[in-house]
């Protein structure tokens, strides 16, 4: 092989090795860059109670004793305020001073709203500051009269995240739900039939399904709101059903949607009932609305 060809081959090999190394170590660097965010979210994971709230610099009631903000390590959060639960996601960036805390609200009247906030975490104390109206991120985690900010201080409680979310989910499900739609194996029931059907959850997760006020199904339920999507296991205890049906559920804009399999069959992966699937897809509208709560952002 000529020296010219050897040089050309060497250049090609060196370039290929350089590219491979850059891809390899670039991937490692990208993965390493993600770790601080994951670590920061892990440090925020927990159950937090309201200690102090200021709106526009003015002191507000901190909330009921049972009110909680629950943060999962993947960035999903739930704020429990009386009978109302606000869900959403947070994105954090600890590289700034103060640290960045971006909120996206997932339900309720502020659904879809994104807010650029700032936060400080010191031991078991979390302080969050965000704008009221507009979306200019605060440059300091503080509150002064007339600053048009929401300022909140939280204390970490020694409560299990999953158990607290299950309790919140039970509260969110409890009450009477009016049937809106029903499909089994892709076949839909009539609107007239839906007007006759109601589903009632109690605080422990026991349910009764009513047809014109008469019970035709009874069950106990087990839920896991930390799953994606949230799961529900329905064990029939009376009426026409037998066994345990595995399902998924969601609550959006006051509508409860449940998709479940027949007892003994695998849990569905999506909210759909197609011909031949054997899945039941149901939706219900909550008959009783909770009181209006203005503070719905963590």
């Amino acid at each position: 092989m000529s020296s010219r060809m050897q040089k050309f081959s060497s250049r090609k090999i060196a370039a290929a090795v350089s590219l491979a190394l850059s891809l390899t170590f670039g991937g490692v660097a990208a993965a390493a860059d993600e770790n601080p965010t994951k670590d920061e979210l892990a440090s925020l994971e927990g159950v937090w109670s309201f200690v102090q709230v200021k709106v526009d610099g003015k002191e507000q009631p901190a909330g009921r004793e049972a009110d909680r903000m629950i943060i999962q390590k993947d960035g999903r959060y739930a704020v429990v305020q009386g009978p109302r639960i606000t869900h959403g996601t947070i994105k954090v960036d600890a590289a700034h001073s103060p640290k960045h805390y971006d909120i996206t609200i997932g339900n309720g009247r502020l659904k879809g709203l994104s807010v650029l906030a700032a936060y400080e975490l010191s031991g078991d104390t979390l302080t969050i500051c965000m704008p009221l109206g507009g979306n200019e991120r605060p440059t300091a985690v503080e509150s002064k009269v007339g600053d048009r900010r929401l300022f909140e201080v939280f204390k970490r409680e020694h409560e299990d995240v999953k158990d607290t979310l299950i309790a919140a989910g039970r509260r969110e499900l409890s009450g009477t739900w009016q049937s809106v739609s029903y499909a089994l194996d892709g076949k839909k029931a009539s609107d007239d039939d839906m007007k006759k059907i109601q589903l009632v959850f109690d605080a422990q997760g026991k349910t009764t399904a009513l047809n014109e006020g008469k019970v035709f199904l009874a069950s106990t339920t087990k839920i896991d709101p930390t799953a994606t999507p949230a799961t529900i296991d329905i064990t029939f205890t009376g009426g026409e059903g037998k066994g345990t049906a595995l399902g998924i559920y969601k609550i959006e804009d006051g509508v409860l949607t449940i998709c479940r399999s027949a007892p003994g069959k695998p849990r569905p992966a999506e909210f759909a009932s197609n011909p031949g699937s054997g899945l039941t897809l149901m939706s219900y509208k909550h008959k009783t609305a909770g009181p209006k709560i203005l503070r719905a952002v963590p």
Side-chain angles (χ1 to χ4, degrees):
M1 182 183 295
S2 69
S3 59
R4 185 177 178 182
M5 289 183 66
Q6 286 178 333
K7 288 179 181 179
F8 177 73
S9 298
S10 299
R11 283 198 301 269
K12 285 185 69 177
I13 292 170
V17 170
S18 175
L19 176 61
L21 288 173
S22 67
L23 289 173
T24 301
F25 289 103
V28 171
D33 287 344
E34 292 177 2
N35 289 335
T37 298
K38 291 180 180 179
D39 292 344
E40 190 68 13
L41 280 174
S43 70
L44 291 171
E45 181 186 23
V47 179
W48 302 86
S49 62
F50 292 85
V51 174
Q52 183 184 32
V53 179
K54 289 184 180 181
V55 176
D56 204 23
K58 299 173 184 177
E59 198 81 26
Q60 305 291 316
R64 302 170 181 83
E65 186 178 352
D67 287 353
R68 294 287 188 268
M69 177 170 70
I70 310 156
I71 300 177
Q72 298 184 65
K73 62 183 177 182
D74 62 0
R76 287 182 292 163
Y77 75 83
V79 175
V80 181
Q81 294 169 288
R84 180 160 299 184
I85 302 176
T86 302
H87 299 275
T89 58
I90 60 172
K91 179 182 176 183
V92 297
D93 187 346
H96 299 269
S97 182
K99 297 176 181 179
H100 289 185
Y101 187 103
D102 299 352
I103 304 156
T104 301
I105 301 173
N107 68 310
R109 63 186 182 87
L110 299 178
K111 180 179 178 180
L113 178 68
S114 294
V115 182
L116 303 181
Y119 76 101
E120 292 176 349
L121 177 63
S122 177
D124 288 337
T125 300
L126 171 63
T127 308
I128 303 172
C129 188
M130 64 191 72
L132 290 171
N135 205 19
E136 186 175 345
R137 192 188 306 275
T139 56
V141 184
E142 60 184 16
S143 179
K144 299 176 182 179
V145 175
D147 63 6
R148 298 291 296 156
R149 291 180 183 175
L150 173 62
F151 176 88
E152 296 177 303
V153 180
F154 299 87
K155 179 183 72 173
R156 192 193 303 270
E157 300 292 344
H158 298 292
E159 300 175 17
D160 183 77
V161 167
K162 184 173 181 177
D163 289 346
T164 307
L165 280 170
I166 289 173
R170 291 274 184 232
R171 184 186 303 185
E172 197 171 24
L173 285 167
S174 64
T176 301
W177 299 80
Q178 177 63 51
S179 183
V180 176
S181 65
Y182 176 96
L184 171 59
D185 216 21
K187 297 177 182 178
K188 295 183 179 180
S190 70
D191 291 342
D192 287 339
D193 286 339
M194 292 301 91
K195 294 175 184 178
K196 304 172 185 177
I197 306 299
Q198 292 181 342
L199 181 64
V200 182
F201 280 84
D202 72 7
Q204 287 73 46
K206 293 180 180 179
T207 69
T208 51
L210 310 174
N211 187 340
E212 295 186 317
K214 297 180 180 180
V215 176
F216 69 93
L217 276 178
S219 68
T220 59
T221 59
K222 178 182 177 182
I223 61 172
D224 183 1
T226 66
T228 306
T231 62
I232 183 167
D233 298 352
I234 304 166
T235 300
F236 298 106
T237 58
E240 303 166 8
K242 292 182 180 179
T244 297
L246 304 181
I248 54 177
Y249 79 96
K250 61 182 178 179
I251 300 176
E252 294 180 346
D253 301 324
V255 175
L256 166 64
T257 304
I258 300 173
C259 185
R260 68 167 177 82
S261 61
K265 298 296 183 180
R267 191 185 310 278
E270 59 180 348
F271 294 94
S273 175
N274 299 315
S277 67
L279 299 178
T280 301
L281 181 66
M282 305 159 278
S283 63
Y284 304 86
K285 184 83 173 176
H286 210 304
K287 289 199 69 175
T288 10
K292 186 177 182 181
I293 298 173
L294 294 178
R295 193 182 71 252
V297 183

